[in-house]
Amino acid sequence: MSAIALDPAYRRVSVEEFLEMDFGGAKAELEDGMIYMMAGGSEEHARIAFNILMALGPRLRGSGCRPYGSDLAAQTDIRTVRLPNVSVYCNNPAAPENARKKLLGDPQVVFEVLSPSTSAHDQKVKLAEYCALAGMREVILVDPAEERIHLVQRTPTGGWTADWLATGDDLTIPSLNLTIPHAEIFARD
């Protein structure tokens, strides 16, 4: 990441400081120590993220993995915290000792629902950050406009493959051993 010159009145904040801040119900991400407020999403964006959560919940019950919405943060660098639209953590993340934690280590799977205003950033900057996490297995970018899914998967040798699924194809997530039908992800009712 390139350094940004800051006004002397401002300073970069640590992850710990950021996680203790109260944004009054608004959401923000931390990127290289700088706070960026997040705008609310569209109905379409919210619906797709909700559909993904609803599809994952029952499929993961009893597996030791759990899906979370954008309230749970993922630390992607020493001074960067992201709020993925949907993330899946495994190894019993809902254990009582984790109840008050705002960070649970690396997610295994992350979904980002693309928006016109953040699509380029999500597909370049955030994707690279997620792929750098040791525990990450799949990063899934969902394009509401085209109803397409970009599946980025870690290979057995530690590299990555990236494929846009054909329109209408169901999403198979190998590390979770499950498939979500295309129609469930983009459902309007």
Side-chain angles (χ1 to χ4, degrees), residues 136-159:
M136 186 67 66
R137 294 296 170 258
E138 289 97 3
V139 179
I140 301 155
L141 304 174
V142 180
D143 180 356
E146 300 293 324
E147 290 195 3
R148 291 188 66 203
I149 298 166
H150 190 194
L151 175 61
V152 181
Q153 302 177 80
R154 188 180 299 269
T155 65
T157 59

Side-chain angles (χ1 to χ4, degrees), residues 29-163:
E29 288 187 331
L30 184 69
E31 186 170 318
D32 192 27
M34 298 182 65
I35 299 168
Y36 292 91
M37 299 307 296
M38 298 173 69
S42 66
E43 181 281 333
E44 179 177 60
H45 189 277
R47 174 177 38 84
I48 290 169
F50 179 76
N51 288 348
I52 293 165
L53 274 170
M54 291 297 293
L56 288 170
R59 287 174 172 91
L60 291 174
R61 186 149 283 115
S63 71
C65 296
R66 185 171 185 88
Y68 293 91
S70 62
D71 288 329
L72 190 61
Q75 184 174 351
T76 60
D77 202 358
I78 192 164
R79 286 192 174 187
T80 302
V81 173
R82 300 296 183 191
L83 298 175
N85 294 121
V86 177
S87 54
V88 177
Y89 288 83
C90 296
N91 299 320
N92 199 20
E97 63 270 16
N98 291 333
R100 299 270 183 237
K101 289 183 180 177
K102 295 181 180 180
L103 293 173
L104 294 178
D106 293 348
Q108 183 167 312
V109 178
V110 163
F111 289 80
E112 286 288 355
V113 179
L114 303 177
S115 299
S117 61
T118 62
S119 180
H121 191 73
D122 290 350
Q123 292 183 71
K124 292 178 185 162
V125 177
K126 287 186 181 182
L127 177 59
E129 290 174 9
Y130 292 141
C131 289
L133 297 175
M136 186 67 66
R137 294 296 170 258
E138 289 97 3
V139 179
I140 301 155
L141 304 174
V142 180
D143 180 356
E146 300 293 324
E147 290 195 3
R148 291 188 66 203
I149 298 166
H150 190 194
L151 175 61
V152 181
Q153 302 177 80
R154 188 180 299 269
T155 65
T157 59
W160 290 89
T161 62
D163 295 300

Side-chain angles (χ1 to χ4, degrees), residues 11-33:
R11 67 175 180 79
R12 284 178 164 66
V13 299
S14 70
V15 167
E16 294 76 19
E17 290 171 308
F18 175 76
L19 292 174
E20 293 305 316
M21 292 179 178
D22 180 0
F23 295 102
K27 291 188 179 187
E29 288 187 331
L30 184 69
E31 186 170 318
D32 192 27

